[in-house]
Amino acid sequence: EQLMAETLRRLAVRVARHVGSNLSRNWQLLPVEIEIDGQSLSDATLLRIRASDTPGFLYELTHALSLAGLSILRMTIRTVGTQVQDELHVVDQRGRKITDAEQWRQLRAMIVLIQHFTHLLPQAKNPESALVQFRELLESLLQRPQWPEDLQRLEDSEVLRTLTQLLGVSEFLWQDFLKLQHENLFPVVTNLESLQSPLPVAQLAEQLRTELAAAPPAEQKQLLQKFRDREMLRVDLRHVLGLQDRFGMFSRELCTVAEVLTAVTCELCLQELQASYGLPAAPDDQPIRWSCCALGKFGGEELGFASDLELMFLYEAEGRTTGPKRLPASEFYQRFVELFQSLLGTKQGRTFAIDLRLRPYGRAGSLAVSLSGFQKYFSTDGAAWPYERQALVKLRPVAGDLQLGQQICQLRDSILYAGLPFDISAMLAMREKQRHQLTQPEVFNAKFSSGGLVDCEYLVQALQITYGHLDPSLRQ
């Protein structure tokens, strides 16, 4: 099976290279005449196809018919000028004629889809990838129980044009993301109107809360994951299709999805824990506030493909919960973060994986840190390494109490922007360690090699820390 799959892939590449040499740039879809005759032949159903001559059409059609469980007994191929006049004698899996009207309708839809896709193929940025990935898409499509309905939704010319652009844009995107998103791909790509504008935070949050309210607790994690995948796909499609016309829109929209997921998941965690433990309160019965802060690319609103979510959870002070089962505030927020991880966590290396390593003492420290613990650790005479303080440049509250979040930012500013000399030697040592551990000799790593993205980022942060005490606008 692997040998057959590789042979088909190589054949698709050869066909696509021929298609790619076609310099036509005509987006206009041309008519396809299809006649299905169930009477003329005694042993098969006759398909007559009249259409413009499109390289790759018969190649994809014969493969699709096979996937649909149909066999071709005989075929006649004629080209008259720029038109093809093909006749195919087809039978079902049992070798019988196809007589069902619904199957005829499905056949027509399949032929039209393939003809139009192969006509648009030269417009793809990478026809080779587009054809190979169209084949995989078609295989997946025909395995779905509702594939006739999906075929109908893909017949629209604008939808087909969009699909051609998506499949031909990037093999990385297909293998690592779009291929895994078939369940979401069809609803999103066939509703192009919904892709035209970004969705605001309030609308996304309300949508997610409504979906969660209608689901039993056992399904909440799955719902959060589905929301994440669906909305990330939507943002990615807007990016691929060129609908984000300003620099930074892609990252900003991904951050919006991440912020909604973070905030709503925190709400779920509080609701669940409050039922058993109540909420933490100080000795004077005042509620103990909490904040979830983003760092790294999430904090800097720079999320991209495969970015994780670097977070730090902080709470205001020590105390105890007020519910039937009483816990110290530290233990309550420890359980809070553990529950958060279980609901929203994903495998390391996947997009939006949760990363809590920038908290005080890293993996050895508590999952949530008190405000006083934060101040003690990151202060100039605290235990934090210089690179850990440097990471605080991008700290940004994304959930929890807004006033506490502002207080944390003010505390961060007093630590970072005190006008003290920046520790250049520590930064250079960190870069040397990264180059040694994270790059290979003779291979340029766009992120970690000398002159790569991390050098740009560290230089900017060094300048911010050095001069941020003179002008607060430099801290952003």
Side-chain angles (χ1 to χ4, degrees):
E1 286 186 11
Q2 288 183 340
L3 180 60
M4 175 63 75
E6 177 58 21
T7 302
L8 288 172
R9 192 195 69 80
R10 291 170 64 184
L11 182 58
V13 168
R14 292 185 62 182
V15 172
R17 285 175 180 166
H18 175 68
V19 171
S21 65
N22 182 350
L23 297 178
S24 168
R25 288 296 180 263
N26 180 16
W27 284 107
Q28 183 67 39
L29 294 181
L30 302 175
V32 183
E33 296 179 22
I34 303 167
E35 180 186 351
I36 302 179
D37 182 353
Q39 302 298 324
S40 299
L41 303 175
S42 60
D43 62 342
T45 297
L46 175 61
L47 294 183
R48 293 191 182 94
I49 303 171
R50 306 288 184 270
S52 60
D53 190 5
T54 306
F57 168 65
L58 282 176
Y59 165 78
E60 275 303 326
L61 178 61
T62 53
H63 178 64
L65 290 174
S66 174
L67 290 173
L70 304 178
S71 299
I72 303 172
L73 296 183
R74 298 174 293 274
M75 63 189 304
T76 304
I77 303 170
R78 292 179 60 208
T79 304
V80 181
T82 61
Q83 296 288 306
V84 296
Q85 300 178 4
D86 300 334
E87 291 189 358
L88 286 73
H89 302 182
V90 298
V91 294
D92 64 14
Q93 288 177 315
R94 299 181 182 181
R96 299 181 304 190
K97 295 168 65 172
I98 303 162
T99 57
D100 182 63
E102 179 61 20
Q103 281 189 293
W104 285 13
R105 184 183 69 79
Q106 294 169 8
L107 262 178
R108 288 179 189 277
M110 183 190 299
I111 293 168
V112 170
L113 172 65
I114 294 169
Q115 166 66 19
H116 285 171
F117 180 81
T118 51
H119 172 73
L120 293 172
L121 197 55
Q123 274 53 259
K125 292 181 180 178
N126 186 336
E128 185 178 315
S129 291
L131 189 60
V132 171
Q133 290 157 194
F134 178 72
R135 163 164 292 217
E136 294 182 6
L137 179 71
L138 206 56
E139 289 178 2
S140 171
L141 178 66
L142 294 174
Q143 291 172 5
R144 291 161 60 92
Q146 72 276 23
W147 71 264
E149 289 77 11
D150 288 332
L151 271 182
Q152 278 190 308
R153 291 153 70 185
L154 292 174
E155 286 181 34
D156 180 87
S157 60
E158 286 301 314
V159 169
L160 265 178
R161 184 187 301 189
T162 300
L163 193 62
T164 307
Q165 288 178 267
L166 290 177
L167 298 183
V169 73
S170 163
E171 190 168 339
F172 159 77
L173 261 185
W174 176 256
Q175 294 297 335
D176 283 27
F177 192 68
L178 295 175
K179 188 176 180 180
L180 307 176
Q181 288 281 344
H182 287 151
E183 182 180 344
N184 294 322
L185 181 60
F186 290 109
V188 174
V189 84
T190 53
N191 185 8
L192 297 180
E193 186 177 346
S194 71
L195 291 175
Q196 300 308 307
S197 303
L199 296 180
V201 170
Q203 182 178 340
L204 275 176
E206 184 59 32
Q207 180 181 319
L208 179 55
R209 290 187 185 105
T210 301
E211 292 176 11
L212 288 166
E219 296 179 12
Q220 287 177 340
K221 180 173 182 175
Q222 187 179 15
L223 253 175
L224 288 167
Q225 292 172 342
K226 284 185 175 180
F227 176 87
R228 176 198 64 203
D229 292 345
R230 183 182 71 232
E231 295 308 319
M232 280 175 51
L233 175 63
R234 189 178 174 283
V235 173
D236 290 341
L237 295 191
R238 280 178 42 75
H239 175 68
V240 169
L241 298 174
L243 297 173
Q244 294 158 335
D245 56 0
R246 296 191 308 279
F247 180 77
M249 284 185 71
F250 172 65
S251 294
R252 178 58 253 172
E253 289 178 29
L254 275 183
C255 283
T256 296
V257 176
E259 287 165 16
V260 168
L261 276 168
T262 301
V264 175
T265 303
C266 284
E267 292 171 9
L268 289 177
C269 296
L270 280 180
Q271 290 169 10
E272 181 169 336
L273 293 174
Q274 185 176 3
S276 298
Y277 307 107
L279 294 176
D284 61 359
D285 295 330
Q286 290 298 310
I288 295 176
R289 300 174 298 173
W290 63 276
S291 178
C292 175
C293 295
L295 297 121
K297 291 190 179 298
F298 188 17
E301 298 183 280
E302 304 161 311
L303 290 177
F305 295 115
S307 290
D308 53 17
L309 302 183
E310 293 176 291
L311 298 172
M312 187 185 299
F313 289 85
L314 300 102
Y315 58 96
E316 188 176 20
E318 298 300 341
R320 297 186 70 83
T321 60
T322 58
K325 302 176 182 177
R326 304 193 69 187
L327 292 175
S330 57
E331 187 174 341
F332 177 89
Y333 285 112
Q334 176 81 10
R335 296 190 184 194
F336 173 79
V337 181
E338 288 172 351
L339 184 55
F340 179 91
Q341 285 181 298
S342 71
L343 282 175
L344 201 57
T346 185
K347 292 180 181 178
Q348 202 66 33
R350 290 289 305 277
T351 304
F352 285 12
I354 305 301
D355 184 352
L356 304 176
R357 289 175 295 175
L358 289 178
R359 68 188 187 271
Y361 301 103
R363 289 192 176 95
S366 300
L367 292 176
V369 59
S370 68
L371 197 58
S372 61
F374 175 90
Q375 182 174 13
K376 181 179 179 181
Y377 183 79
F378 287 107
S379 64
T380 52
D381 57 350
W385 291 91
Y387 76 87
E388 292 182 285
R389 292 191 191 90
Q390 182 180 328
L392 295 181
V393 166
K394 293 188 177 182
L395 181 142
R396 177 174 66 94
V398 292
D401 187 273
L402 294 178
Q403 289 185 335
L404 178 62
Q406 292 174 354
Q407 189 176 337
I408 293 167
C409 288
Q410 290 168 359
L411 179 56
R412 179 271 314 273
D413 290 352
S414 69
I415 294 171
L416 277 191
Y417 306 115
L420 299 176
F422 181 78
D423 193 338
I424 295 176
S425 60
M427 181 182 74
L428 294 176
M430 172 57 65
R431 287 295 291 122
E432 183 60 31
K433 182 179 179 182
Q434 289 171 338
R435 282 191 291 269
H436 177 71
Q437 295 182 351
L438 303 175
T439 66
Q440 300 175 13
E442 309 303 323
V443 177
F444 181 76
N445 184 305
K447 183 174 182 179
F448 290 112
S449 290
S450 295
L453 293 172
V454 172
D455 276 340
C456 299
E457 182 173 0
Y458 281 13
L459 174 60
V460 170
Q461 290 174 355
L463 292 169
Q464 287 179 288
I465 293 172
T466 300
Y467 298 105
H469 70 287
L470 299 175
D471 185 348
S473 68
L474 297 177
R475 304 172 190 175
Q476 300 301 317

